[in-house]
Amino acid sequence: MAAAIDCFAQKGFYGTTTHEIAERVGISQPYLYRLYPNKQALFAAVVDHVSVVMTETLVTHSPTSGGGKPAPEAALAAARGAYAALVADRTILRFLMHANCAAGEPLVGQAVRRCYAKQVDTVRQLLGDDDAVRRWFGAGMLDNVVAVLGLADIDEPWAHVLTGQ
């Protein structure tokens, strides 16, 4: 799946051909179509895989204090840290951005909605309430902009506002 994530992260759903994916994975295009009936199904499977990776990352980085529920601030910080670690190399981030853009394709849209639903459930379990989930998603969108634009490396006042530096 990593090769498919990387290909789709570079050129998106519309710009990536199934030939490129098959070549990158080291299989023939006809064999790829034996595994997935069309490009939408392949892309949706990659979205589902990324959703699992995101969930596992969030759960793995969740703070625990003697089996009890962590303080809300600690849980939110851990969830943001987990997400930041996940998108640090920008491949997952770019893939997710392309997935959002391709959500108009029926199978892709269903997969993206499943991904968001899973993340909402996971974050709600970790943070405890819907307001915290909305704050996490809002902070995540800001983190996306900071990461994809490389704002941590830009020494401009507006970039400092967005990065919190």
Side-chain angles (χ1 to χ4, degrees):
M1 278 293 169
I5 293 168
D6 189 52
C7 282
F8 283 129
Q10 295 300 315
K11 294 167 68 177
F13 174 77
Y14 298 105
T16 304
T17 66
T18 55
H19 174 76
E20 290 171 302
I21 300 285
E23 188 174 272
R24 185 80 173 275
V25 175
I27 61 175
S28 68
Q29 190 176 22
Y31 186 69
L32 181 68
Y33 279 110
R34 291 180 79 194
L35 299 172
Y36 303 97
N38 54 44
K39 187 164 83 168
Q40 273 192 48
L42 169 61
F43 195 90
V46 176
V47 171
D48 289 338
H49 175 75
V50 167
S51 181
V52 169
V53 170
M54 291 174 70
T55 300
E56 289 173 351
T57 301
L58 287 168
V59 170
T60 299
H61 288 84
S62 174
T64 56
S65 54
K69 209 164 183 107
E73 301 81 25
L76 181 59
R80 285 196 68 197
Y83 183 74
L86 181 70
V87 300
D89 77 356
R90 299 187 186 153
T91 302
I92 295 281
L93 174 60
R94 285 187 178 127
F95 173 78
L96 289 169
M97 290 180 154
H98 283 297
N100 289 336
C101 291
E105 301 293 333
L107 289 177
V108 174
Q110 291 169 9
V112 170
R113 286 186 290 278
R114 277 193 308 273
C115 179
Y116 275 94
K118 181 63 177 165
Q119 301 322 303
V120 166
D121 288 344
T122 301
V123 173
R124 184 183 293 127
Q125 289 174 7
L126 297 174
L127 302 183
D129 66 57
D130 291 352
D131 189 50
V133 172
R134 284 188 293 277
R135 284 195 318 273
W136 182 79
F137 269 89
M141 293 302 157
L142 176 59
D143 292 343
N144 290 350
V145 170
V146 168
V148 81
L149 296 178
L151 297 184
D153 300 328
I154 297 181
D155 189 18
E156 296 283 337
W158 67 271
H160 293 276
V161 169
L162 296 178
T163 61
Q165 296 178 348

